[in-house]
Every structure is written in structure tokens, then in C-alpha cells.
Amino acid sequence: MLSDTVTYPDFPVNAPDTALFTERFSAAANSIRSLYMSLYENHPAGDTQFNRLSTVLHNAFLNRAPRLHQQDAIKKEAGHWHLDHKITGMSLYVDRFCGTLNNLRKKLDYFETLGVNFLHLMPVFESPPGESDGGYAVSDFRKVDPRFGTLDDLRALQEDMSRRNMYLMLDIVLNHTSHHHEWAAKARAGDAHYQEYFYLYHDRGLPDAFERTMPEIFPEAAPGSFTYIPECNQWVMTVFHHYQWDLNFTNPTVFVEMLDAIFFYANLGVDVLRIDAPAFIWKQIGTTCQNLPQAHTLLQLIHQCVRVSAPGMALLGEAIVAPSEVMNYFGKGAFAAKECDVAYGATNMALQWDALATGKVQVMLEAQHAILTKPIGTTWITYTRCHDDIGLGYDDYMIAAAGFDPYEHRKFLKDYYSGNFEGSSATGALFSVNPKTQDARISGTLASLCGLESALQQNDAGAVERAIAKILLMQAQSFFMGGIPMLFYGDESGYTNDYSYTTDPGKSYDNRWMHRPLIDWLKNDKIYIPGSPEQKIFDGTKRLIALRRSNIAFSDYNNLSWLKPHNIHIAGFIRSFNEQRIFCLFNYSNAPAWLTWYAFKEKYPVPTRLYDHWEGKYYEVGADDTYFIAEPYRFYILEPV
Ligand code: GLC
Ligand code: GLC
């Protein structure tokens, strides 16, 4: 039981800037204490670990390099820096992109040419080959995997990036460790202290009870949520793969250990910390073990701690969950905007794929009300593809409200993208089909799902152009909707699916690898060959980034309003800033779509002339019974002039 008289450690009075630390710590101390207490007050290690927590915070502050303290001050001055329209990200695997961290330093010009100034490096910390889940099974949170280089290489990269004003994002894989992590090894060997770091059980009683209500994450490759460990004759919780052991956050020692790892990353100069799979970090029998209130408490606690010792680091919650659930990750009530600063806009990502397959935007529009009202100061990662599968994670009622049968609609989408629908140009595959529920997600690269792979195979120039138009349409919506656009590497030059994973036993069980290409820099040079698909996609992407950068209305100040639907093929919204308004229109149909000019007149002042920033063309606004005609798979960024 935590007493009211818990003493905070005496911080050394002469330490440089201790006043600043004390100021920030006192401001947060009450919240930190009550959040922590609500989880751990009855735990026997509660008191001791709370004192350790304060020490972790103080050490993190003291170990933070002066240049990072300076960055904290600059970001504070700038206000909500992560909402800015000048940030564009790319997510990449260091080894598959260019081999090593040192090689990546030599690629910084490439990002600058494209306009990317924010890099998400897929996990680079030690992870056993063959049982790595793309690096998400970490065996040492503080050691860079030798495949990529060393910790010093990572530091050097970060410093180079920082000199170029580029931001860095790394992951903290909070929910689990590799079964080769030293904690897991000790637990397996029978060490009682470390056994409490995990959910270990002597028989199937509790595992069975848990599994009754826990959905399976990888039903094909890793069915069930527990794995038998013969060495200690126990069952351990493994929600993801059998080699990823879930950490037990009901143990405060685990929390404080992981908090220390968070500050280790913060002090490497991380600007955005991607918290992997936060929905899963608290488990309780009788629930889905996802999105539990205690998971939110933990995130709020992390947020408060980070504000004390590394306030320049923003937190991204990778919660790929239902629309109404994801909003909770921004924090609610007294903790609004005090949980995750950024969340994945997975709902809109999936809805864009829905619109592309159906040619219609009704479901997209039906879903928006659920995800529109996030707290000021928070933002989305907007994206079309990432390293994971596409889950059709929006709700059935949204599909029904749009006039479709949810089961049939989802079936159509899965068929459309996995090559089972006659007439679809998409080349992809179903990921993690659940034999019990027929649930499935979708794998494939942006280009292949947009039809480039089949168009190239058939040598059909018209189809190639259509695929390119679709690629840019998809990117454009995610670039202008508000949030930090995150490209997935390879998509900027139109990489199609890579099937080499099928012959690698460490990957063949997981078809997400088809959309995690190995970059061939000779092939990539085609971006310089005028008229090649690579060049058109690269230049189009580059122009999109530049256009976004040129206009503050594309920052995310909750300054988005959707247009009323006047045509079921066209998604449209207004981005505004002070007096400025920009109409963004996206035609998801393979045919021209007509939009009454009245669509531009519903809000005052009524424009008379519009300038399309994308094509550099002017339009005179016509009478209400005449039409703006949107070309197939085209988008328009129209500003009243
Ligand atoms: C996240 C990652 C995914 C990984 C999972 C387990 O969802 O994005 O790639 O498989 O967490 O760590
Ligand atoms: C995590 C993500 C989910 C993804 C899965 C595997 O569970 O939340 O979207 O499908 O990892 O990639």
C-alpha cells in the first residue's frame, strides 16, 4: 500500500538545471502519483518501484544531452510542432532499404529530394533472426542488432538528421519481448522474480479462461494466445507469435523497467516514439484483453513522465482498433490530449481502400462522425500502406448505413484485393484468415493493390496510367486530410509485390512480407527516366509533398470539414485556416463524376473562381444546375481566388 507520505528522492541540489527538472516534476507529480497508484497501490512492490520511478525520471533528465534539452525548448516555443504541414514521413526497414544505418546516412539526400523530413525506422534493436516478426520480437532493448550496425551508428545517423532538421521515429515494443530476451531466459530457467515479468501458468486453467474471450491475432500462423514452455513446465501468454512473450504490466517492476527503456530511446534523440500495440498492454480474464481502461492509465502515466524528462518527444499510439476506440487513445476528460499525441488513422486508410474498390464513398462518409472530434493538439498518422496488413476495421453499422450488407460488402472487398473478383486489377492476398469467423485482412503493396502489377504484366499502357492515377489519388487524400503523412518505402517509386519471402523459412508463414520490398537501387534509378511509371509516381509524390508544405491550411488544427455528399463517387472536404479555404475533391470512380457547383456554395463566402493547385488550372464557378466534372481517379485541390 502506498502511504501518503511517500518521499520523492532528494535530487542533487547542484546538478545543472535541477530547477527546471523540479519545476516540471512538481507540475506533474500529483498526476503521476495518482495514475501510478490506481494501478499499483496494492502491489507489494508498489512503494519501492514508485521511488525507483522518480529516480528513473531524474536520471533521464540528467542524461539528456544539452542539444536535446535545447530541442525540447525549441519545440515548446513552436507549440504543437507535430501538427505542422511541413512534416512528411517515411517508414522503412533499414536492411531492406539500404543495408545498414551507415548506408542510410548516405541516403539522406534522397529523402530531401523527395521532401521527406521524418523517418520511421522499423525496429533496429536486437531480434533473433528467423523469429523476429520484422524486429517486433526484441531480445535486447538497448542493443542495435549487428545486422544494422551499432548504437553509435544510430547516434551518428540521428545527429546527421538533426543537422538537416529531420525528425526520427523509433518503436518501443512495450507489449512483449522475444523469448530470447534475458528476462524470458531467466523465467524459463525457473527464476521466480523474472517469472513475474510474464503471464506464466502451471496448468491450462487460467489460459483457457483467458482464451474464451481473447480474439486471435494471427489465427493461421500462431493460433491461440498461450504457448507451452517445456523447460519450466508452464504456459506463457503469447498474444502474437509463440516467440513473443507478453509482458506483465500488473507488475510495477515491469512498468519501471520499460519506462527506463523509453527514456533510453528519448535520449537517443527520438522525436516521436511509436508505442507498438498499446491496445494490448493490460489483460483481464473475461475481456478481449484489448483497449482496457488500465491500458489507457498506463499510457497517460507514460505521457506525464515523458513531459517531465523529455518533453520534446511526442508519443504515437499504434492502436489499430475500432473507430470509437481509437479516439480514446488521445485521452479523455481531464486527460484529453494527455495520452497519445498521435494515433494511426487506420479507419480512413481502410476506408480509402473501400472507396477505391467500390468506386463509391458512402461508407467513408458514414464513418467520419466517429473520428472527427479529437482533442486540439493531437493528430493522426495518415497513410495508405504500412508494413502491416489492411484491416477493414470500421464498424458494420457504418456499412449498413451506407446501404450495403456488411458481410457481403466485406467479402467483396477481400475478393477484390486478393484476386478473387473478376475484373479487379488489384494483386494482393488475404492475411490471417480466421477459419472460425472468416475474418481476414489484406496484404499487398500500394502499387500492386492499385493495379500496377497486373497492368505491367499485361503491358497495357492505359491500365498503367490508371494505376498511377489511383496511386496518386490514394496518396493525395492521405496527404491533405490532416495529420502526418507517412509514406511506406518503395511506394514513392511504385514497387510491386515482392514474392521472395515465400522461400525464406523465417518469413514464408507471414505474407505481410510481400509488401516489404527489398530495394534495388539500380531499378530505383528509373525515377530519372522520363515517362517511366517510377518517374511519374516519384515526381507525383514529390509534388504532393511540396504542395502540402506550401500551405498552412494543411496543418492539423482540427480545421477539416467534410462536404455534403452530392455525388457518391466524390469524397470532398474543406481545409481552412483563418479566412483561407481549400476544397479538396477525390473522384474514386473509373468514370467522370459530375458535381453540382452548388457544392462549393454551401458555406459563405461563395467563391466565383477556383484555382486548382494540382493542375495549375482556373475554373469559373457555374450555376447550381451546371456541373464541375471530375475526371476518373483524379483529385482537385481548389482554392477560391
Ligand atoms: C504491431 C506491429 C506488427 C507486429 C505486432 C506485434 O502491430 O505493427 O508488425 O506484428 O505489433 O508486435
Ligand atoms: C497488431 C495490429 C493489427 C495488425 C497486427 C499484425 O495487432 O494492431 O492491425 O494486423 O498487429 O500485423
Side-chain angles (χ1 to χ4, degrees):
M1 176 75 162
L2 278 178
S3 61
D4 280 338
T5 54
V6 150
T7 47
Y8 300 108
D10 287 332
F11 303 117
V13 187
N14 296 326
D17 293 325
T18 285
L20 177 59
F21 177 79
T22 312
E23 180 193 317
R24 289 198 206 137
F25 187 77
S26 344
N30 274 340
S31 302
I32 292 180
R33 187 159 188 285
S34 65
L35 289 165
Y36 179 92
M37 274 242 274
S38 76
L39 297 171
Y40 300 123
E41 77 174 323
N42 295 321
H43 195 283
D47 269 335
T48 340
Q49 290 304 321
F50 189 72
N51 286 330
R52 227 183 109 213
L53 180 152
S54 317
T55 312
V56 163
L57 291 186
H58 192 221
N59 287 341
F61 180 89
L62 293 178
N63 294 335
R64 196 156 173 80
R67 66 182 185 94
L68 296 178
H69 279 298
Q70 219 170 37
Q71 281 296 322
D72 291 340
I74 292 170
K75 285 174 178 163
K76 186 175 174 204
E77 182 72 16
H80 295 126
W81 60 276
H82 55 288
L83 309 184
D84 201 275
H85 62 109
K86 294 205 173 115
I87 305 179
T88 305
M90 183 185 280
S91 178
L92 58 89
Y93 289 96
V94 172
D95 52 345
R96 303 180 77 76
F97 187 74
C98 61
T100 63
L101 289 161
N102 280 337
N103 289 346
L104 192 58
R105 286 169 69 189
K106 298 182 206 132
K107 293 288 180 206
L108 296 183
D109 287 342
Y110 177 77
F111 301 117
E112 267 184 2
T113 308
L114 183 59
V116 161
N117 58 356
F118 173 39
L119 296 184
H120 170 212
L121 308 188
M122 299 299 295
V124 291
F125 291 92
E126 191 188 77
S127 182
E131 292 182 328
S132 128
D133 188 20
Y136 286 102
V138 183
S139 51
D140 187 335
F141 291 107
R142 288 175 173 76
K143 182 175 170 215
V144 166
D145 198 295
R147 284 185 295 146
F148 306 112
T150 64
L151 199 55
D152 282 338
D153 298 343
L154 180 57
R155 287 205 178 95
L157 171 70
Q158 193 279 334
E159 281 169 29
D160 276 4
M161 286 174 62
S162 173
R163 268 191 290 277
R164 295 180 187 229
N165 294 319
M166 294 177 79
Y167 297 106
L168 173 67
M169 173 154 102
L170 294 182
D171 282 82
I172 175 93
V173 186
L174 211 55
N175 179 68
H176 43 258
T177 70
S178 156
H179 67 154
H180 288 314
H181 190 283
E182 122 180 62
W183 302 336
K186 288 182 176 162
R188 191 189 286 107
D191 183 327
H193 176 75
Y194 288 99
Q195 291 193 337
E196 283 176 16
Y197 277 43
F198 302 97
Y199 293 93
L200 276 162
Y201 301 100
H202 288 287
D203 56 46
R204 284 288 316 181
L206 290 173
D208 284 343
F210 268 114
E211 279 184 353
R212 270 194 279 280
T213 50
M214 282 173 96
E216 291 168 292
I217 307 303
F218 299 131
E220 291 174 314
S225 297
F226 288 84
T227 301
Y228 179 67
I229 309 300
E231 291 90 332
C232 60
N233 187 25
Q234 295 198 55
W235 292 85
V236 67
M237 186 186 284
T238 51
V239 167
F240 292 89
H241 294 101
H242 68 88
Y243 52 78
Q244 289 164 308
W245 289 22
D246 286 61
L247 283 166
N248 181 356
F249 279 92
T250 66
N251 178 355
T253 313
V254 169
F255 173 72
V256 177
E257 290 278 8
M258 293 309 285
L259 188 68
D260 202 36
I262 286 174
F263 284 115
F264 178 75
Y265 297 149
N267 285 344
L268 289 175
V270 166
D271 296 286
V272 180
L273 184 71
R274 179 186 183 278
I275 301 183
D276 185 58
F280 296 85
I281 57 182
W282 197 274
K283 280 86 174 177
Q284 199 171 298
I285 288 179
T287 71
T288 57
C289 297
Q290 290 182 35
N291 305 313
L292 294 181
Q294 295 89 336
H296 290 287
T297 307
L298 275 172
L299 293 170
Q300 289 158 5
L301 181 54
I302 292 171
H303 190 274
Q304 291 293 326
C305 292
V306 167
R307 289 299 152 269
V308 172
S309 301
M313 183 171 78
L315 299 177
L316 161 65
E318 188 251 347
I320 312 299
V321 298
S324 58
E325 288 289 353
V326 72
M327 301 307 284
N328 297 334
Y329 287 84
F330 293 125
K332 283 201 303 197
F335 287 95
K338 291 182 181 155
E339 193 173 318
C340 296
D341 306 291
V342 192
Y344 276 87
T347 303
N348 269 323
M349 179 277 293
L351 288 164
Q352 285 189 232
W353 288 106
D354 181 312
L356 193 73
T358 59
K360 298 181 186 135
V361 302
Q362 294 111 306
V363 185
M364 183 187 285
L365 298 181
E366 288 299 338
Q368 294 307 320
H369 67 95
I371 45 175
L372 211 50
T373 50
K374 59 182 170 54
I376 297 271
T378 61
T379 194
W380 302 106
I381 291 287
T382 58
Y383 64 118
T384 54
R385 289 302 292 113
C386 70
H387 69 288
D388 277 332
D389 42 284
I390 302 168
L392 304 172
Y394 38 94
D395 297 294
D396 280 354
Y397 80 84
M398 297 164 174
I399 303 176
F404 305 109
D405 175 78
Y407 178 84
E408 290 301 325
H409 187 77
R410 288 178 197 280
K411 181 171 182 318
F412 162 73
L413 294 173
K414 288 179 281 184
D415 288 347
Y416 184 91
Y417 287 116
S418 62
N420 293 317
F421 183 80
E422 183 72 37
S424 163
S425 61
T427 316
L430 293 183
F431 174 69
S432 266
V433 182
N434 188 325
K436 292 163 220 157
T437 60
Q438 291 310 310
D439 260 359
R441 285 107 72 181
I442 294 155
S443 284
T445 66
L446 173 67
S448 289
L449 294 177
C450 284
L452 188 61
E453 186 172 330
S454 61
L456 291 172
Q457 257 158 21
Q458 289 152 18
N459 210 357
D460 176 340
V464 169
E465 287 311 309
R466 238 174 352 261
I468 295 172
K470 287 185 192 177
I471 290 170
L472 294 178
L473 171 78
M474 292 291 281
Q475 297 291 42
Q477 183 165 337
S478 83
F479 275 47
F480 295 116
M481 200 159 28
I484 306 175
M486 183 66 77
L487 293 161
F488 190 58
Y489 80 107
D491 288 348
E492 82 282 14
S493 58
Y495 263 78
T496 53
N497 294 339
D498 180 338
Y499 300 102
S500 62
Y501 78 98
T502 51
T503 55
D504 176 341
K507 300 192 170 78
S508 57
Y509 60 89
D510 187 341
N511 71 21
R512 288 176 297 172
W513 287 100
M514 78 168 55
H515 55 251
R516 299 168 176 178
L518 209 51
I519 298 301
D520 169 351
W521 286 91
L522 285 177
K523 172 174 152 38
N524 220 70
D525 277 347
K526 291 196 186 150
I527 61 173
Y528 303 112
I529 302 177
S532 67
E534 289 83 355
Q535 178 264 328
K536 288 181 181 168
I537 296 167
F538 188 87
D539 279 12
T541 310
K542 181 174 161 179
R543 280 181 57 211
L544 284 173
I545 297 174
L547 176 49
R548 185 182 130 86
R549 282 180 73 92
S550 71
N551 217 309
I552 193 170
F554 299 128
S555 288
D556 186 11
Y557 301 118
N558 288 9
N559 46 338
L560 166 117
S561 57
W562 285 82
L563 292 177
K564 286 214 189 97
H566 289 283
N567 183 316
I568 56 167
H569 305 295
I570 300 180
F573 47 73
I574 303 177
R575 301 300 315 276
S576 53
F577 191 78
N578 293 335
E579 300 302 299
Q580 193 189 12
R581 284 179 307 162
I582 303 183
F583 293 85
C584 305
L585 301 178
F586 307 85
N587 178 14
Y588 278 92
S589 167
N590 60 2
W594 296 37
L595 188 69
T596 163
W597 284 108
Y598 178 69
F600 299 91
K601 303 177 187 171
E602 289 183 303
K603 288 194 179 121
Y604 289 100
V606 170
T608 52
R609 222 171 161 229
L610 298 167
Y611 175 69
D612 179 9
H613 283 278
W614 182 246
E615 275 217 317
K617 225 168 119 177
Y618 289 89
Y619 294 87
E620 302 299 325
V621 175
D624 297 353
D625 57 352
T626 62
Y627 296 89
F628 172 83
I629 301 172
E631 295 301 320
Y633 300 125
R634 269 288 320 272
F635 61 92
Y636 301 83
I637 309 297
L638 301 165
E639 184 168 9
V641 283

